[in-house]
Amino acid sequence: MDTEHRSNFLRTQIQNDLNAGIVDRVVTRFPPEPNGYLHIGHAKSITVNFGLAEQFGGVCNLRFDDTNPEKESQRFIDAIKSDVSWLGYQWDGDVRYASSYFQQFYEWAVHLIESEKAYVCDLSADEAREYRGTLTTAGRDSPYRNRPIEENLRLFESMRAGEMEEGACVLRAKIDMASPNINLRDPTLYRIRKVAHHQTGDDWVIYPTYDFAHGQEDAIEGISHSICTLEFEDHKPLYDWFIENLPVPSRPRQFEFARLNVNFTVTSKRKLKLLVDSGVVSGWDDPRMPTIAGMRRRGYTPTALRHFCEEVGTSRSDGVVDVAMLESAVRNDLNRQAPRAMAVLNPLALELTNLDDAEILQIPNHPADEIMGKREVRLSPRIWIDREDFRQEANKKFKRLVLGKRVRLRGAYVIEAERCELDDQGEVIKVYASIVPQTLGGDPDDGVKAKGVIHWVDAETGVEAEIRSYDRLFTVEDPSRADNFDDVINPHSLLVTRGIVEMGLASVQPETRFQFEREGYFVADRYDHAAGAPVYNRVIGLRDTWTSHE
Ligand code: ATP
Ligand code: MG
């Protein structure tokens, strides 16, 4: 599934900039805050930033926007690095951290104070909010706005030295309290936070705000195209103000695109954290989570995710993408690359009455791709079939096994059901069937007619496996709007059962994917699957079962 480049406004912009000589090398960055796991929306941003760099022969940085130490951690940093690599991208050089520029930001803050463009403000948070004004009314100048430079320098130094309490004061830019753009009404540049930082330890007790840091990080790294989502459009005049008023080494330009929203899904770290903290899911990488780590564990492929991100396009208009598109990208990729195998998820015993000895059959691993070869599958007189594939009586629409009727065993012979054994409740517990004589011992591809094909697993060599059948986590299109997640969680999003898988499936590496014939796509669980104790997750069914009955 080669992902073709469609044209979009960012590609056009960059091509034009290169043609016009405005930039000579494309340098982009992906700047996550390490305060949670990345989700499908971040996957979009990753493919945009790394993809543009790749397409135009440039580079892309991975930079942690770590200005808010309380909510951040090394664990999230590690998870994010692993997600980006898994998606198939390589960042330029070492991972970068906003925190490694803290000294530079501090010096630039001093520079602003010295040029009378920043001041220490003692208003409380509530007061500052009140002074800020609203969308329709201008703000008012802080009473501390005209502090002399010397006093500001002394106070800021004292903030830095830890001599002030948290919340006692902040450093603000001196711009325009009457600006129609609220972001320009003397925004906060530094706050006192007496917390240790995961990278800089106890070095700092003041931390720059995201807005003060972000544009300068780009300038330090020589980012040619600073790409972000539309909610930052209103911040651009502020970023430009910093760039104009500071002796920065380069001038990044910002371009915004619309966030990716997906129905039946939440794409907000805050909401995802709520799901984790409330125990609705087993963790950030629960296979039902729209996190990259969750989708990976679920069995989604990097190719499918990249393809999906390309398919949804990159534009400036907001919209909601149907999750069926994502699922279909996964299905298409797995149809192409997942070898076929057999697993019986709801086992019913079947005895082949006229097979004396076990046989070894050669069964193709893929119906359309010969390169995938064939595997040896043992057929002995006792096999498992799926309970759903047998009926004592049925009408013509039922194309599986019925008493007195024929069906083909996938990759093997045509059989005819002779009789069955029932338990006290009248439940079928065993089926007896015979191989149609003229096919026995011959080529399974023998031309004997049967109405249908069913899958099976050899009972002597098949291995019991834990099967985790996953489905969508939410039952409604817009779960973000629910007051309480409990009302919108799909109670059938996880069903754990035991099935029987072909012998070979017990010993594969975790994360190996298969199509279980007639059942769907499955992956050996990344963490819990072990040789001899197989655990398979259902990635996705063979067909979309949601769209039809909505
Ligand atoms: P969230 O709202 O989920 O917390 P965020 O934007 O706060 O996300 P960051 O860590 O700041 O998370 O995001 C890193 C980058 O990913 C940013 O450039 C951001 O614009 C981008 N991004 C986040 N969510 C999406 C999305 N849904 N679609 C596209 N890009 C996104
Ligand atoms: Mg953010």
Side-chain angles (χ1 to χ4, degrees):
M1 200 186 313
D2 278 336
T3 298
E4 253 179 53
H5 288 149
R6 307 162 155 212
S7 75
N8 67 44
F9 75 103
L10 290 174
R11 289 180 173 142
T12 306
Q13 175 75 44
I14 292 182
Q15 189 62 66
N16 291 345
D17 291 346
L18 288 168
N19 293 348
I22 295 171
V23 297
D24 48 28
R25 191 166 86 125
V26 175
V27 184
T28 56
R29 83 285 178 272
F30 173 63
E33 187 181 352
N35 61 350
Y37 276 52
L38 300 180
H39 53 63
I40 182 75
H42 296 112
K44 173 69 194 169
S45 180
I46 291 169
T47 60
V48 166
N49 282 296
F50 283 90
L52 287 168
E54 207 168 80
Q55 182 187 350
F56 292 100
V59 294
C60 181
N61 294 348
L62 173 59
R63 181 213 307 146
F64 289 102
D65 239 315
D66 56 347
T67 53
N68 200 3
E70 286 106 320
K71 293 185 173 166
E72 301 165 0
S73 75
Q74 187 62 41
R75 173 187 171 209
F76 296 135
I77 291 175
D78 296 340
I80 290 170
K81 283 160 68 176
S82 144
D83 288 344
V84 173
S85 304
W86 178 76
L87 277 175
Y89 296 108
Q90 178 59 59
W91 49 87
D92 186 53
D94 292 334
V95 166
R96 292 152 213 254
Y97 296 89
S99 55
S100 60
Y101 313 136
F102 279 174
Q103 179 60 30
Q104 177 69 79
F105 295 156
Y106 179 80
E107 286 164 22
W108 280 337
V110 169
H111 179 96
L112 288 178
I113 294 174
E114 285 170 342
S115 40
E116 280 189 278
K117 286 179 178 136
Y119 61 99
V120 173
C121 178
D122 302 357
L123 290 179
S124 69
D126 285 340
E127 288 166 334
R129 197 169 308 120
E130 197 238 314
Y131 271 77
R132 192 173 303 125
T134 66
L135 284 172
T136 48
T137 58
R140 285 180 294 141
D141 286 358
S142 158
Y144 305 99
R145 201 171 196 259
N146 292 315
R147 273 180 161 152
I149 293 175
E150 291 313 316
E151 185 180 338
N152 280 318
L153 286 173
R154 192 167 42 74
L155 289 171
F156 188 46
E157 175 51 38
S158 162
M159 280 169 69
R160 179 197 180 152
E163 293 160 10
M164 309 243 217
E165 292 310 309
E166 278 194 19
C169 53
V170 297
L171 183 73
R172 296 174 70 175
K174 193 192 267 192
I175 309 180
D176 179 6
M177 288 307 292
S179 172
N181 184 337
I182 291 187
N183 295 304
L184 295 177
R185 294 184 189 168
D186 291 10
T188 300
L189 308 183
Y190 266 93
R191 292 193 181 89
I192 303 168
R193 284 269 184 282
K194 299 193 171 172
V195 290
H197 188 286
H198 48 97
Q199 301 302 313
T200 57
D202 294 327
D203 291 357
W204 296 90
V205 293
I206 55 171
Y207 290 98
T209 55
Y210 178 87
D211 273 352
F212 182 54
H214 198 83
Q216 280 73 270
E217 295 161 19
D218 285 343
I220 290 171
E221 294 177 11
I223 301 301
S224 65
H225 296 83
S226 171
I227 295 160
C228 62
T229 36
L230 283 171
E231 70 269 25
F232 293 104
E233 192 167 22
D234 290 347
H235 297 237
K236 187 153 57 180
L238 174 59
Y239 298 162
D240 288 343
W241 186 89
F242 289 134
I243 297 296
E244 274 153 32
N245 288 287
L246 290 172
V248 291
S250 80
R251 296 184 137 255
R253 288 179 306 150
Q254 174 174 307
F255 303 92
E256 309 86 16
F257 70 99
R259 292 174 79 86
L260 169 65
N261 300 302
V262 183
N263 67 6
F264 291 98
T265 306
V266 297
T267 48
S268 141
K269 271 186 263 180
R270 196 176 57 76
K271 297 240 158 99
L272 293 174
K273 184 172 182 322
L274 225 58
L275 286 169
V276 173
D277 292 345
S278 65
V280 169
V281 293
S282 67
W284 285 96
D285 62 355
D286 183 296
R288 292 164 294 180
M289 289 282 271
T291 52
I292 297 178
M295 292 187 286
R296 171 177 182 177
R297 189 162 179 202
R298 174 75 171 265
Y300 287 17
T301 61
T303 313
L305 287 180
R306 287 204 308 268
H307 187 81
F308 167 75
C309 289
E310 179 65 23
E311 281 280 288
V312 298
T314 308
S315 76
R316 287 180 52 87
S317 43
D318 275 310
V320 180
V321 170
D322 193 343
V323 72
M325 236 177 115
L326 171 61
E327 293 166 347
S328 145
V330 172
R331 206 176 274 122
N332 289 339
D333 187 38
L334 291 179
N335 181 36
R336 193 182 54 81
Q337 62 149 291
R340 275 43 175 174
M342 291 194 281
V344 172
L345 304 189
N346 190 7
L348 172 64
L350 183 146
E351 187 166 325
L352 294 167
T353 53
N354 57 348
L355 181 69
D356 297 332
D357 295 313
E359 287 186 19
I360 304 292
L361 306 170
Q362 302 283 328
I363 301 186
N365 287 323
H366 197 281
D369 189 351
E370 279 184 21
I371 293 174
M372 290 203 196
K374 294 184 173 185
R375 67 189 185 284
E376 292 192 337
V377 178
R378 189 184 152 100
L379 174 73
S380 48
R382 292 187 311 113
I383 63 173
W384 297 105
I385 64 167
D386 198 283
R387 210 158 259 290
E388 297 294 310
D389 285 339
F390 174 74
R391 290 205 193 149
Q392 300 184 62
E393 295 174 303
N395 64 21
K396 288 198 164 120
K397 281 195 199 140
F398 187 76
K399 298 215 169 14
R400 308 174 222 172
L401 190 61
V402 181
L403 283 183
K405 304 271 166 54
R406 292 174 174 188
V407 85
R408 180 176 294 281
L409 295 177
R410 168 71 84 207
Y413 306 117
V414 174
I415 61 171
E416 188 171 312
E418 296 170 336
R419 63 192 171 91
C420 62
E421 235 171 76
L422 309 180
D423 67 7
D424 298 345
Q425 274 82 50
E427 276 273 323
V428 179
I429 49 171
K430 188 166 179 181
V431 180
Y432 293 84
S434 57
I435 294 172
V436 174
Q438 64 266 42
T439 73
L440 184 56
D443 179 2
D445 215 5
D446 45 35
V448 175
K449 287 220 165 42
K451 273 211 231 143
V453 180
I454 63 171
H455 60 281
W456 55 279
V457 171
D458 178 58
E460 272 171 33
T461 54
V463 180
E464 202 176 306
E466 178 171 321
I467 306 289
R468 300 174 181 168
S469 296
Y470 290 105
D471 200 350
R472 292 183 187 170
L473 183 56
F474 296 108
T475 52
V476 296
E477 287 212 22
D478 189 356
S480 297
R481 280 172 45 186
D483 297 324
N484 187 345
F485 276 143
D486 291 345
D487 302 338
V488 296
I489 294 285
N490 175 5
H492 309 296
S493 63
L494 171 58
L495 185 69
V496 181
T497 56
R498 300 200 71 81
I500 313 282
V501 299
E502 277 181 37
M503 188 174 66
L505 270 52
S507 53
V508 299
Q509 289 298 310
E511 302 200 88
T512 308
R513 303 174 185 89
F514 294 96
Q515 183 195 97
F516 288 174
E517 302 236 25
R518 302 179 62 236
E519 292 288 0
Y521 296 97
F522 288 76
V523 64
D525 188 73
R526 184 177 174 196
Y527 299 119
D528 299 337
H529 174 86
V535 178
Y536 276 90
N537 301 333
R538 181 167 74 182
V539 185
I540 189 93
L542 293 174
R543 265 166 248 86
D544 181 0
T545 53
W546 280 80
T547 312
S548 47
H549 62 235
E550 255 155 38

